Amino acid sequence: MSTQTAEPEVWRDKKRYLWLMGLIAPTVMFTMLPFIWAMNRFGWQVAAQVPFWIGPILVYVLLPALDLRFGADGQNPPDELMAQLENDRYYRYCTYAYIPCQYASLVLGAYLFTATDLSWLGVEGSLGWFGKLGLALSVGTLGGVGINTAHELGHKKDQLERWLSKITLAQVCYGHFYIEHNRGHHVRVATPEDPASGRFGETFWEFLPRSVFGGVRSAWQLEAARLRRLDKGPWRLSNDVLNAWLMSVVLWGVLIAVFGPALIPFAVIQAVYGFSLLESVNYIEHYGLLRQTRENGRYERCTPEHSWNSDHLVTNLFLYHLQRHSDHHANPTRRYQTLRSMAGAPNLPSGYASLIGLTYFPPLWRRLMDRRVLAHYGGDITRANIDPRRRAKILARYGSAEPAAA
């Protein structure tokens, strides 16, 4: 009588082909066209304007609902397969594919926004203001999600991927992010000096201009300092801030030349909305978290406890594991498919998509998050990154006082 020995179970990435869901955002405008045509054919002209809002609907409604339905992921790759996963080129091709889809949708959006005859779509004349606004926001959505694709590519050492990162950022005129995020945010994260780390008590609407203008200033200073070390001035094409911005100038110069000055409002709306989505995520990722100062005056090393995490499956598929943010800060060049949920990291109550809209309403945001920050620091609010304008009020409210000066 023979006995059979069970073979060890082989680990497989259950999300391998689900990563293609990341291409939904840059292709969704094409997907909506048949529905718009059909609704117009049935005489539902007013309702046919709604699909042009598919971008905001995806962010504020569909993704939160899917996160609620499918919950957390819970799967981490084993250590012994990390190198194999890192070297599997399929995963990087998934991110490369985002870019041509993004630009095809951008051109489609520019055409629909400016066209005066859309009879082939069942629209009489041009789009109304409601449809145009939704269209611009939807194209801004794919640009905002594209910043995350650029984030994934920009951290890599491969020169091609770094240039693809800047090409992806050109749509929303945020090319300086390539410099500021890699060499600024990752150095200063969870400190008062970082413009991209949200402070306890600071509203999103206060954070947004601080992060936007602070990021531009930081990127320029970092790149100018790099060039000075090479005995070069900043006003040259080798300045990665300038050449990234130049890509945006060329892109929108060509599009406006082709589609006319009527495209200018579209360009502005989609860019502002696109980078505001990024900044909302920045605000969420490190809200109130602070690296403590050592005796030598330097900040402690960044650890998992300095980033808010979420392992909700669906938003992670759309954002290439961005919500496993602690592992990303610990290993910035690690590819998205190998990022892991880390013990010791504070966790959000839901995915980023569910919380972006909440950041727009400060009382609701603070009701949800302030107690979590306080609990994370064991009730000691002095250990949090507090908005300096509200410091005295916050310390008084939570019953804490500054330590006496020596």
Side-chain angles (χ1 to χ4, degrees):
M1 184 176 179
S2 62
T3 59
Q4 293 183 343
T5 303
E7 295 184 2
E9 184 178 351
V10 178
W11 186 89
R12 291 182 176 85
D13 181 8
K14 297 177 181 178
K15 302 189 290 289
R16 182 177 178 86
Y17 298 108
L18 293 178
W19 291 115
L20 294 173
M21 290 175 61
L23 298 179
I24 290 177
T27 59
V28 72
M29 288 305 306
F30 287 95
T31 307
M32 287 296 103
L33 292 180
F35 294 96
I36 295 168
W37 175 84
M39 293 170 81
N40 282 314
R41 291 280 293 185
F42 279 105
W44 303 340
Q45 279 79 14
V46 175
Q49 301 286 305
V50 175
F52 289 107
W53 288 75
I54 186 60
I57 292 170
L58 181 67
V59 171
Y60 302 123
V61 180
L62 296 180
L63 284 180
L66 290 171
D67 268 343
L68 183 65
R69 167 63 180 83
F70 292 100
D73 179 355
Q75 185 192 48
N76 276 342
D79 291 342
E80 61 271 19
L81 292 182
M82 293 288 278
Q84 179 182 330
L85 273 176
E86 280 276 334
N87 295 322
D88 190 336
R89 301 188 71 86
Y90 163 80
Y91 293 97
R92 66 187 71 180
Y93 294 151
C94 288
T95 57
Y96 295 173
Y98 191 100
I99 302 168
C101 296
Q102 172 190 359
Y103 275 86
S105 291
L106 174 61
V107 173
L108 173 65
Y111 163 71
L112 293 174
F113 192 89
T114 56
T116 56
D117 181 10
L118 291 173
S119 55
W120 63 273
L121 199 55
V123 178
E124 295 181 5
S126 60
L127 285 181
W129 69 268
F130 183 74
K132 286 187 175 183
L133 178 59
L135 176 64
L137 294 177
S138 291
V139 172
T141 299
L142 70 91
V145 177
I147 297 177
N148 181 64
T149 306
H151 167 261
E152 170 65 23
L153 295 169
H155 271 292
K156 304 304 175 282
K157 297 177 181 179
D158 184 270
Q159 197 64 28
L160 170 64
E161 290 181 292
R162 293 187 175 191
W163 276 99
L164 289 176
S165 174
K166 288 192 278 189
I167 291 170
T168 309
L169 292 167
Q171 176 191 329
V172 290
C173 308
Y174 230 56
H176 61 277
F177 173 83
Y178 167 81
I179 297 297
E180 154 55 21
H181 180 82
N182 291 359
R183 287 158 43 195
H185 173 66
H186 271 262
V187 173
R188 300 180 297 233
V189 60
T191 70
E193 291 76 31
D194 182 29
S197 291
R199 298 165 177 170
F200 187 92
E202 179 182 39
T203 71
F204 170 69
W205 303 110
E206 294 165 330
F207 169 82
L208 180 61
R210 182 172 72 84
S211 186
V212 171
F213 294 111
V216 171
R217 182 170 57 251
S218 172
W220 182 262
Q221 291 171 347
L222 288 166
E223 191 62 358
R226 180 185 72 86
L227 291 169
R228 277 197 303 270
R229 290 193 294 271
L230 300 173
D231 292 325
K232 298 178 180 179
W235 299 99
R236 57 182 61 243
L237 278 179
S238 57
N239 182 325
D240 281 328
V241 174
L242 287 181
N243 60 51
W245 285 346
L246 183 60
M247 289 183 185
S248 296
V249 172
V250 171
L251 170 65
W252 286 105
V254 170
L255 288 176
I256 291 170
V258 172
F259 295 105
L263 190 66
I264 293 175
F266 172 86
V268 174
I269 293 169
Q270 66 84 32
V272 172
Y273 183 66
F275 69 66
S276 75
L277 288 176
L278 161 75
E279 296 299 354
S280 179
V281 170
N282 277 340
Y283 178 71
I284 292 168
E285 286 172 338
H286 306 284
Y287 177 76
L289 302 179
L290 179 66
R291 287 155 58 191
Q292 305 304 309
T293 307
R294 295 173 174 173
E295 291 182 0
N296 61 5
R298 295 189 176 186
Y299 290 109
E300 64 180 330
R301 186 177 180 178
C302 185
T303 67
E305 69 178 38
H306 298 122
S307 301
W308 289 102
N309 286 249
S310 170
D311 205 27
H312 282 73
L313 175 63
V314 178
T315 300
N316 262 336
L317 290 170
F318 272 76
L319 297 182
Y320 303 118
H321 270 161
L322 180 67
Q323 298 176 134
R324 294 184 171 184
H325 208 59
S326 289
D327 195 5
H328 168 66
H329 272 278
N331 304 282
T333 61
R334 179 173 286 174
R335 295 188 180 274
Y336 69 92
Q337 67 269 22
T338 60
L339 291 174
R340 297 170 294 184
S341 289
M342 301 184 75
N347 280 285
L348 295 165
S350 188
Y352 288 177
S354 304
L355 300 177
I356 288 174
L358 205 62
T359 65
Y360 304 157
F361 303 96
L364 297 179
W365 171 257
R366 294 198 62 188
R367 184 181 180 88
L368 178 74
M369 289 301 299
D370 282 9
R371 60 187 176 86
R372 286 179 164 82
V373 175
L374 194 63
H376 178 62
Y377 289 115
D380 184 1
I381 196 61
T382 63
R383 296 177 61 201
N385 185 7
I386 300 174
D387 182 0
R389 294 166 296 182
R390 297 181 174 87
R391 188 171 190 88
K393 184 177 179 180
I394 287 172
L395 293 177
R397 177 179 179 181
Y398 292 102
S400 299
E402 296 282 19

